[in-house]
Amino acid sequence: MIPAMPATAMSSRQASVAVLRFGRFAAMATVAVLILIAGVWASWGTAQHVMLTKGRERGTVEVSRCGAQMCWGRYTPLSEGSQPRSRVELEKSVAVEKGRTYTVVMKPNSDDAVRSGPAGVLYAWIPLGGALLLASVVVAGGLLRTRAAWVLALSGVALLTAAFVTV
């Protein structure tokens, strides 16, 4: 401290630095939380059908045709109350091939099917894996929390790798 400078000037400067540091921390924490919420939101649209199967129609789909984004096939029911259908839609991904049979869960009040089992669960949570990776960058760079960032990043990599291996 300079002898001619009053003590209140120095403490107000420290206070403003502390307020700015807290503001940066709050903003980056908010961004990281919003990224994670968006990942859960994007995943839950499909994951709810795969994970909460009680009372839903379950069966198999033999894929007979594929377009640019969807595949179609005959649905054979496995659960009680489910009716066979001549054509249901299954989202096309790298793991869906013409001629193969997949276990599925039907979305309520539609002809849309979602893959079930471990492959379906992991595939549904892929957006969360990407969000974990993105949030790890924000946590490391904006919050300066490297351990937490590594935990987020490794969790995202583990989820994406498990989905890749099972699908």
Side-chain angles (χ1 to χ4, degrees):
M1 184 161 110
I2 301 173
M5 183 182 289
T8 56
M10 192 59 156
S11 64
S12 66
R13 183 171 190 198
Q14 290 172 343
S16 64
V17 168
V19 168
L20 287 174
R21 189 175 296 146
F22 176 76
R24 184 192 75 193
F25 182 84
M28 290 295 110
T30 302
V31 169
V33 168
L34 286 175
I35 290 170
L36 293 174
I37 289 171
V40 170
W41 186 273
S43 297
W44 187 245
T46 303
Q48 66 178 326
H49 303 295
V50 178
M51 295 175 70
L52 306 173
T53 60
K54 186 174 183 179
R56 298 192 195 272
E57 295 182 72
R58 293 184 304 272
T60 61
V61 172
E62 183 179 347
V63 177
S64 58
R65 242 180 66 208
C66 286
Q69 296 180 354
M70 298 298 275
C71 290
W72 300 272
R74 178 177 298 278
Y75 173 75
T76 307
L78 295 176
S79 63
E80 291 183 29
S82 182
Q83 299 297 321
R85 297 177 182 155
S86 60
R87 181 175 185 247
V88 296
E89 296 179 350
L90 183 64
E91 183 181 338
K92 184 178 181 181
S93 70
V94 294
V96 176
E97 297 175 5
K98 182 178 172 185
R100 292 194 59 196
T101 302
Y102 301 99
T103 57
V104 296
V105 175
M106 298 301 296
K107 289 184 178 179
N109 303 322
S110 73
D111 286 333
D112 294 337
V114 179
R115 285 189 66 178
S116 63
V121 171
L122 290 170
Y123 181 72
W125 288 105
I126 284 177
L128 177 62
L132 286 166
L133 287 174
L134 184 57
S136 72
V137 174
V138 173
V139 169
L143 297 177
L144 304 175
R145 303 285 191 250
T146 55
R147 286 186 187 148
W150 275 109
V151 168
L152 289 172
L154 292 175
S155 299
V157 167
L159 177 58
L160 294 174
T161 302
F164 178 77
V165 169
T166 58
V167 172

